[in-house]
Structures are given as C-alpha cells and as structure tokens.
Amino acid sequence: MPNTIQRGAQTNRGRCGRAAGFSGVFLFTLLLAWLIVHTAEAGSNSASGNQRAGTIKGTVVDEETQAPLAWVTVSLAGTDQGAMSQEDGTFEIKAVAVGGHVVRFSHLGYETISKTDVIVRSDRVSFLDVGMRVSPIKVEGIVTKAGYFTDTEEQSGSAISFSSEEVRRSPGTAGDVSRIVSGLPSIAKVNDQLNSLIVRGGTPTENGFYLDNIEIPNINHYPIEGTSGGPIGLLNVDFIKDVDFSAGGFSAIYGDRLSSIMDLTFREGNREEFDAQIELHFAGAGGTVEGPLGGKRGSWMFAARRSYLDLLVDAISVGVAPKYSDYQGKSVYDITPSNRLSLLGVLGVDFIEFSKKDSEDDGNIVYGKHTGHEYSVGANWRWLWSESGYSNTSISALGTKYDGKFYETKSDAQLTDVQNIERIVQLRNVNTYRFNQSNSIQAGVEGKLFLSEYDYDVAEYTNSIGDSTPSLSVNEKMDSPKMAAFISYTWKPVSRLSATFGTRYDYFEYNKHSHVSPRFSFSYSVLEGTSIHGATGIYYQNLPLGLISQRSSFRYMKDPRSFHYVLGASHLLSENTKITVEGYYKDYRDFPMDPSQPKMFVADELVYRGFFGVKEGLTDNGKARSYGVEATVQKKLVEGIYGLVCASVSKSEYEGLDGKWRDRVFDNGILFSAEGGYKPNNKWEFSLRWVYAGGPPYTPLDLEASEAINRSVSDGNRINEERFPDYHSLNLRADRRFYFSGSNLIVYMSIWNAYNRQNVSSYYWNEIEKKQDVVYQWSMLPVLGMEFEF
C-alpha cells in the first residue's frame, strides 16, 4: 500500500467506521446467499434421485524431461475405476461420482503419485496434469511410497507445496496465497492488515515470486513500494494450479532474493468445452470464462473482479473503503506436439481516497488519494527438444504505477506528491536435461531492462525519534540492464543420496555490481520413510531502487547478502502424514545503516513504517542474524481429514552502529499454528486455523516529546526494548457444495478472529485527542461468499 496510506488510518474511530461498513456488506451478502441457497436446495432436492457424475481427463509426463508417459496406471482410490495413459500421455476416466477424490498414478520405474482434492463436477470435465519422477533402484530398507508429497517437499523441509483446492478453502485467507503460507513456522506474524512475508529474519523486500516462468515483483493490490507485500492478493485463486514455497536454501536458478521464493503455476483452460464461473463475496464480485482454442490444440481463460465495498460504504455513508479491480488471462496453444506457446496477462487497478471531512470525522492525521496499477504480460515457449530434455523461455513486460498526493489534516500542508513508474522488460531461459538416472542439469540465462521513473516530493517532517528531516525532491530516470547466468547439477550416486551443486552469476549495469553465488543441497534416505536434508549458499540482492534514487551516492553502496545454513530431518508417520524438524542460521552482511540513527536498522522501517524515510547519508556495513528450530506435521486429505501443525522457536537481531545487538521488529520468538479440516461427505467441509505468536519488539513513545510537538516521537534511548502483547487468533470456515446437472455451487462462511481477540498493531500519539492511543488489528469479521460454476 502507498506509503502515506499506511500512516493515514491510525485511529479506532476510523476502524469503527470501516467495521460498520463491513457489517452492511455482510448483511447484504447474507441476504443474497440465503436466496441462492434456498433456490439451490430446491433444485438439488428435485433431482436427488439422480446420481451425479463427471469426467476426469489429464496428461502424465516425466517431471524432469516433460516427455509424455504411456501406460501409466491411473486409479481412483477407494473404487475400482481407473484408466491407462495413452502414447501421448493422456488419460480419461468417465462416470466419476461428483465430489473430491484421490487419484493415484503408478508406473514401472517411476515413483507413485497420489493427488488429493481432485474435485469432480456434475456433467463436467475436470483436468489433472501430473509429473512423475524416475524411481531410484530399490535397495533393502527403502520401500515404495504412496506419493502424497511432492519431490520438492521430500528433499527439503524448507519447501512446501499447496494445491489449488488447498489454497481456495484455507480459512482466514480469502484465497490470498501470501496469507496461506503465513501460517508456516518460517513466517513471522506481524500485522493482519498486510500479507507481507517476513521469512526467517528477512524483510518484505527479500521474497521472489515466479508465475509460469515469469518473475513478478509483487502479487498484490496496493503494493508497498520496494517490497513484495501489500494488503490484498491480486491473483485469482481459481487460476492457480500449484504453489511451491521455499523458505531458504533455494536453487541457483533463482536469484536477487535473500530469503524466499514462491513459484506459482496457472492451470490451463478447458480444452473440451466452454466453462464459466461467477463469484460473490464480502469484498466484491467477479467472473471467469474459459474454453478450447484451435480445435482443442489449446485453451484460453479470462477472469475479472471488482470490489464493491466502496459502493456499500458510500450507500450507508460510513467510513472509507478501497476500490480495486483486476483482470487476468492465459491462453495455451500446442504449435506441435513438442512446442507449446503460453500467453499470460495480469492487471490490477487500485484507487482509494480520504477526503478531509472523512479524515476529520475518523480522526485520521492525513487525507488525500492514491491511484495505481500493476501489470504483468508475457509469453512462455516450452520446447521438448529431446526425450531427455526441454527448455522454457519467457519474455515479459512488467510495470507498477504509484500516483498519490496526501496532506496533513489539521494544517492542509502537503506531505507527499508521488508519481513513480517502475517498468521492467525481461527474458528468462531455463534448460533441463537428464543424462541418466544419476545425473541431471538445469542451466539458463536471464536478462532484464529496467525503465523506471521516480518523480516525488516529500515535505520536511519529524522522523520517528523526533529529529527534523529535510524535504526531498527526486526526479530521476533509471534505464539500465541486468544480466544473470546459472547452472545447477544434481548427482545421485546411490539410490539413498541426492546432492545438488549450483552457482549463478549476476551483473547490474546501474551500479557495476557483479556477484557469484554458490549453492549446495542434499537429501539422504536413512531408513524407511526417514531422510535428512541440508542446504547452504550465498544470496545477494540489489537495494530497492526507490531507496537508492534518493541520493546519487547511494547507487554504489554494497548489495546486501545473506549466508544460509539449513539442516533437518523428515519422517513419514504414514503414507499421507509427514513430520519435519529443521534448524537454520542466516548471517546478513552489508545492509544499509543511517549514521544519524545509529541504534536503528534501516531495512526494518518497511515493517513498522511501510516506507523508507528520507536519508541524507547511509553506510553499507550493517549486520544481522537469525536462527531457529522449526517443526511441521502435515497430513494430506485422506478419509475426510487434513491438517497442518507448525511450531518454531527463533531469534532475529541486528547490530547497531553503536556495537549493540538488538531484537528486530518482527522477532516473535515463539510461533505456533494449527490448521485443518473435516469433510464428512461430498457436500460439507469444516475447517479452522489458530495462530499464536509471541509479541514482537517495538520502541515505546517518548510521551513528553510527543506531547510537546503533538506528534508521535519514539524514545531513541529504548529502541525495540518493549514488546507488544502476544498475538493469537482463530479463524473458522464452513463450505457447502451443491451439484446440479452441468453446474456446481459453493457457498461458504468464514469468521475471522472468531473470539474477537484485540491484537495490538501499534501505539501512536493521537493528534486529535493529544494522548497516546492504540491501533488494533482486525476484530471479529464474518465473511460470506459463493462460487457458481456452469
């Protein structure tokens, strides 16, 4: 979210206004849901005597080479139904009962794969594309597994995968993939209002996102400039096929990120028939259409969504609500059996306005408006050039526009005037080749052209510790190329051991910086269902362009780097349940530091302020470290029950320029989360998520200084010496499915923060009431929605 917006909504009176708006939205959606459910029940009851059924179709390929696999046995767990894949890898299972299924894939010489949450709709076709891994030669003590966990998950406890259905139904997330992974033990709990990922002592700038081989800087509406976070997810959950998240020790094919990688895949559209879906929930409405392309040689799909909170809030004249919309699409076409072209586009449009009257009524200290958009458009060419190798090559254009002006409510003085545009044109090529069962390689190149324009003015203001900061005016263009090359070699000398050696080279013309980043990881099977794994490597990342644009001298500061050390063990408690314990240590070097604020850590300003303040001088000798132990138990959906339980104990700290080590602002210390659900039948599903986190550090206000200038002034002698109260929250959800002839309806209700815990977000100086006040995170919020597929 834009910088000044972060500072705007700072009082409970404003929050109460928005709560009233949410109540109106909820009542409206509840009434509409009742009408639809009443109609659905009537339609379902009228056809209750008919057995609803659909079809499962898909393709099976070799995971490493993407070559189609013939004669794979495909079976539905718990039934005698199944099929055999054809020469081109395709299969079809007809007359499958509606509801969720587990589909199992087995083939001689390959590891068995079990896909859960395969949803079959009445008189419709459900598509399932699967990649299978070559199975190592069997030795004594190693047995065939049922394959509920992906190869990525089995090799490293730092990595975890989610299916599209796991993303859709997760309580308290609204289908936002960033909020889904925030329940993992590697993610710090900071604030409900934002989905920013704080991964193992990192900052919101340190996370990378890839979508269909295209790197996307931010996947959110109202993105926080210079970071990967924001308040509202941009991607349509119905488009998502898979989500792979790595919290550390990731491969050399990914670069320019210090902490984590999220690799997402959009599914294909329906190659057989036209499909459509309409969705309605508490925040907005949208629709999806898809169908075949070029005589079933391809497919297309398109989705559009628009929020309606602003319409309802305007109607009841209470509070301020954001207005946003997004549009996304994907088309796929098989030029030949070996060449596939994919086109991808994502666009988000954002607007929010605080009038002076609204800000005065709500007690906000600023007013103004922000408009912006974020887009990603590109093409990916997949070429199967050998039975043992293939290439993915993408070219894309990305952009984000920030346009906003904000003023101080009490004086009408202009605080900020921002008109920034960040654009990137990029090329990415990744080649994979398997020499034999023991040796494989990935290698490729990347090229980026930055075409950014920074045009902003920041008025003189008092910084967080009460010092006066001069005004700043920036008008600078940044046109500069960036290049990289990488290679990753995997060696399996024996069936129990897999080792990956990799390195990458990065060069940025803008500051003439070049880096070599070696990486290493391994996995070793000790006993039946038990393995140990580890990873280490060096990771570099360029400083945010918005920060180095402030001063010409900032351009040549060192790029921050981190050293990852990861060691863990995994054990299969059953074929569908796995426990993982992992320890890590991250060593940070060369971070920017501000000599005028020697006790503070510049990178953490993005967490507690939402932006980098104006900097007159910086050094690049900052140090930080984080370390901890994490445990995860994950159960895939089998026999109606699924779950994910996580816990961690960790420490994150930095060294100030005064030589003292201090806790960082997101150091929770202890994290625990439990998420799971129960599906008694194919109609109902009940789920919950409970999160507990130790209170993070904060710097208390200097009350005398705050009162003297009637603004928030932190106590510069007590940096991060206090802690907020511990955080905990319960989210509940219930889903009901209705199956009709050729259509399907899902109605769901979720209650966020079900017992209305008052979790503290921050303390501030209330300039209206002239006293210290508190901002709370989300209160109890009922969420209702529906999806109608036809």
Side-chain angles (χ1 to χ4, degrees):
M1 187 173 284
N3 304 342
T4 313
I5 298 176
Q6 298 281 332
R7 302 163 62 191
Q10 290 287 311
T11 71
N12 291 318
R13 285 185 288 178
R15 195 170 305 280
C16 291
R18 288 186 294 277
F22 282 132
S23 298
V25 173
F26 174 69
L27 292 174
F28 170 80
T29 311
L30 183 62
L31 176 60
L32 186 57
W34 180 85
L35 292 173
I36 292 179
V37 171
H38 181 72
T39 305
E41 288 282 9
S44 179
N45 292 335
S46 66
S48 59
N50 300 326
Q51 177 63 45
R52 302 293 187 189
T55 301
I56 299 177
K57 286 187 176 183
T59 304
V60 190
V61 300
D62 184 298
E63 177 70 22
E64 290 183 284
T65 68
Q66 295 297 294
L69 291 180
W71 321 127
V72 175
T73 300
V74 186
S75 58
L76 294 183
T79 75
D80 58 1
Q81 292 179 279
M84 191 79 71
S85 66
Q86 304 303 304
E87 290 284 354
D88 60 356
T90 61
F91 68 92
E92 180 178 11
I93 308 176
K94 297 182 177 180
V96 181
V98 297
H101 294 272
V102 176
V103 184
R104 185 160 296 174
F105 299 81
S106 58
H107 187 44
L108 183 63
Y110 285 82
E111 296 178 355
T112 299
I113 297 291
S114 296
K115 289 292 185 180
T116 63
D117 291 308
V118 179
I119 305 299
V120 175
R121 302 164 297 167
S122 177
D123 299 325
R124 311 299 285 184
V125 179
S126 298
F127 291 90
L128 182 61
D129 295 327
V130 172
M132 301 184 71
R133 288 268 179 174
V134 172
S135 177
I137 300 173
K138 293 182 180 179
V139 297
E140 184 178 355
I142 305 297
V143 299
T144 301
K145 296 172 288 186
Y148 285 94
F149 297 94
T150 67
D151 183 76
T152 299
E153 293 171 308
E154 291 175 352
Q155 287 187 13
S156 173
S158 298
I160 193 167
S161 297
F162 298 95
S163 68
S164 59
E165 183 65 12
E166 289 173 325
V167 173
R168 185 200 67 79
R169 70 182 179 213
S170 182
T173 63
D176 185 337
V177 293
S178 296
R179 294 187 185 276
I180 288 168
V181 301
S182 66
L184 299 177
S186 53
I187 313 296
K189 185 63 184 176
V190 179
N191 196 309
D192 287 337
Q193 278 79 4
L194 299 174
N195 61 16
S196 301
L197 300 180
I198 311 295
V199 183
R200 289 181 173 175
T203 67
T205 66
E206 299 176 18
N207 312 302
F209 297 91
Y210 290 78
L211 177 60
D212 288 352
N213 198 41
I214 296 173
E215 184 179 3
I216 298 180
N218 199 302
I219 57 172
N220 296 288
H221 285 287
Y222 305 98
I224 301 175
E225 190 170 357
T227 80
S228 58
I232 303 168
L234 172 62
L235 299 181
N236 190 319
V237 65
D238 184 59
F239 277 18
I240 295 175
K241 177 185 175 183
D242 295 301
V243 179
D244 295 325
F245 179 74
S246 176
F250 43 87
S251 166
I253 70 172
Y254 304 109
D256 199 29
R257 287 296 179 267
L258 294 177
S259 285
S260 74
I261 294 293
M262 184 183 292
D263 201 333
L264 303 106
T265 305
F266 269 3
R267 64 178 178 87
E268 289 189 30
N270 194 324
R271 293 192 178 210
E272 300 289 330
E273 59 192 11
F274 177 84
D275 273 352
Q277 175 178 303
I278 297 174
E279 63 173 323
L280 179 67
H281 50 83
F282 85 107
T288 303
V289 290
E290 59 185 284
L293 180 66
K296 299 183 180 181
R297 292 178 62 179
S299 66
W300 61 272
M301 58 182 183
F302 175 79
R305 298 184 299 180
R306 204 271 196 202
S307 65
Y308 59 53
L309 281 175
D310 58 304
L311 302 177
L312 292 173
V313 168
D314 287 345
I316 60 178
S317 301
V318 176
V320 175
K323 179 170 67 176
Y324 59 89
S325 59
D326 53 67
Y327 312 88
Q328 42 209 292
K330 179 179 179 179
S331 62
V332 177
Y333 186 74
D334 293 337
I335 303 171
T336 69
S338 300
N339 291 271
R340 173 175 295 175
L341 181 64
S342 302
L343 303 178
L344 176 73
V346 178
L347 170 66
V349 180
D350 309 324
F351 176 82
I352 190 169
E353 181 174 12
F354 302 87
S355 70
K356 182 174 182 178
K357 183 178 184 305
D358 287 336
S359 291
E360 289 174 338
D361 292 342
D362 293 343
N364 291 335
I365 62 176
V366 303
Y367 70 93
K369 68 178 180 179
H370 162 83
T371 59
H373 65 253
E374 44 281 341
Y375 68 87
S376 302
V377 59
N380 185 74
W381 169 40
R382 193 205 65 182
W383 177 28
L384 305 181
W385 40 266
S386 165
E387 291 185 354
S388 300
Y390 72 100
S391 300
N392 271 312
T393 303
S394 67
I395 184 169
S396 56
L398 319 172
T400 305
K401 180 180 180 181
Y402 307 88
D403 188 348
K405 293 184 179 181
F406 285 86
Y407 305 84
E408 188 176 47
T409 302
K410 65 181 181 181
S411 67
D412 292 326
Q414 181 172 293
L415 299 175
T416 61
D417 182 359
V418 179
Q419 298 181 54
N420 293 344
I421 301 175
E422 297 179 338
R423 292 185 292 254
I424 306 173
V425 178
Q426 59 185 13
L427 171 74
R428 176 174 166 85
N429 168 257
V430 183
N431 308 282
T432 302
Y433 187 77
R434 185 176 64 209
F435 298 98
N436 50 50
Q437 291 192 16
S438 300
N439 298 273
S440 61
I441 192 171
Q442 280 188 300
V445 295
E446 294 175 344
K448 297 180 181 180
L449 178 60
F450 290 84
L451 302 168
S452 299
E453 300 176 19
Y454 293 93
D455 184 2
Y456 60 92
D457 297 292
V458 180
E460 181 180 354
Y461 69 98
T462 303
N463 66 19
S464 60
I465 58 174
D467 295 332
S468 178
T469 300
S471 62
L472 175 67
S473 181
V474 173
N475 189 345
E476 182 173 348
K477 292 185 178 181
M478 293 186 176
D479 299 343
S480 182
K482 187 176 184 179
M483 294 157 283
F486 51 83
I487 186 170
S488 183
Y489 166 66
T490 299
W491 180 43
K492 301 177 181 178
V494 294
S495 60
R496 293 176 180 266
L497 176 64
S498 173
T500 299
F501 307 84
T503 189
R504 66 178 290 125
Y505 172 80
D506 292 90
Y507 174 75
F508 193 15
E509 175 66 23
Y510 183 72
N511 53 19
K512 311 298 183 183
H513 286 178
S514 61
H515 305 294
V516 176
S517 309
R519 317 276 172 86
F520 171 73
S521 63
F522 76 93
S523 177
Y524 181 71
S525 298
V526 181
L527 299 169
E528 176 184 334
T530 302
S531 65
I532 60 174
H533 57 264
T536 187
I538 302 176
Y539 299 81
Y540 289 91
Q541 182 173 338
N542 296 129
L543 289 169
L545 295 182
L547 174 62
I548 62 179
S549 69
Q550 292 189 16
R551 313 285 177 190
S552 59
S553 60
F554 293 175
R555 176 188 297 193
Y556 300 104
M557 291 196 310
K558 294 178 182 178
D559 292 327
R561 56 178 168 158
S562 65
F563 300 82
H564 291 200
Y565 306 94
V566 181
L567 184 63
S570 299
H571 177 68
L572 289 175
L573 301 175
S574 69
E575 62 180 16
N576 57 67
T577 305
K578 182 183 71 169
I579 182 172
T580 301
V581 178
E582 188 168 273
Y584 69 90
Y585 184 89
K586 286 172 70 176
D587 184 15
Y588 285 102
R589 303 287 179 87
D590 304 331
F591 265 68
M593 299 293 289
D594 187 349
S596 68
Q597 297 178 325
K599 300 178 182 179
M600 304 181 72
F601 199 59
V602 171
D604 288 354
E605 291 187 41
L606 286 173
V607 178
Y608 63 84
R609 296 179 65 180
F611 69 105
F612 290 114
V614 175
K615 303 300 178 185
E616 294 188 88
L618 293 174
T619 64
D620 54 15
N621 56 345
K623 296 180 182 180
R625 62 194 178 201
S626 62
Y627 47 91
V629 178
E630 303 168 354
T632 302
V633 179
Q634 185 180 16
K635 183 187 185 307
K636 293 291 187 176
L637 175 58
V638 179
E639 297 178 350
I641 299 175
Y642 60 89
L644 178 66
V645 178
C646 306
S648 68
V649 178
S650 62
K651 185 71 172 179
S652 181
E653 54 190 356
Y654 70 94
E655 183 181 27
L657 292 180
D658 60 354
K660 181 179 179 180
W661 285 87
R662 294 177 174 86
D663 294 336
R664 298 185 67 178
V665 295
F666 40 75
D667 178 44
N668 294 115
I670 298 175
L671 288 168
F672 179 84
S673 66
E675 178 177 344
Y678 174 58
K679 295 184 71 172
N681 50 50
N682 285 328
K683 295 181 179 180
W684 286 98
E685 180 174 354
F686 306 95
S687 57
L688 62 83
R689 171 190 276 196
W690 188 71
V691 177
Y692 173 87
Y698 75 96
T699 302
L701 293 181
D702 184 328
L703 297 181
E704 291 186 4
S706 298
E707 183 177 16
I709 65 172
N710 197 28
R711 292 186 181 179
S712 294
V713 178
S714 299
D715 189 341
N717 295 318
R718 301 172 61 198
I719 301 295
N720 295 349
E721 291 187 2
E722 298 290 338
R723 285 185 175 265
F724 291 114
D726 292 349
Y727 173 99
H728 51 90
S729 177
L730 174 67
N731 298 309
L732 304 173
R733 176 166 173 149
D735 290 61
R736 172 67 161 94
R737 286 182 179 268
F738 300 89
Y739 301 98
F740 310 102
S741 178
S743 62
N744 176 41
L745 173 66
I746 305 173
V747 178
Y748 60 88
M749 181 176 180
S750 181
I751 302 178
W752 297 7
N753 194 7
Y755 51 81
N756 201 29
R757 162 73 174 181
Q758 287 191 314
N759 293 302
V760 175
S761 173
S762 63
Y763 300 107
Y764 74 105
W765 185 261
N766 189 321
E767 298 177 13
I768 307 297
E769 300 181 5
K770 299 183 179 181
K771 66 175 185 177
Q772 178 175 287
D773 213 334
V774 59
V775 176
Y776 293 105
Q777 301 185 46
W778 283 342
S779 58
M780 184 175 67
L781 177 63
V783 177
L784 200 67
M786 61 204 69
E787 302 169 6
F788 182 53
E789 304 168 348
F790 58 94

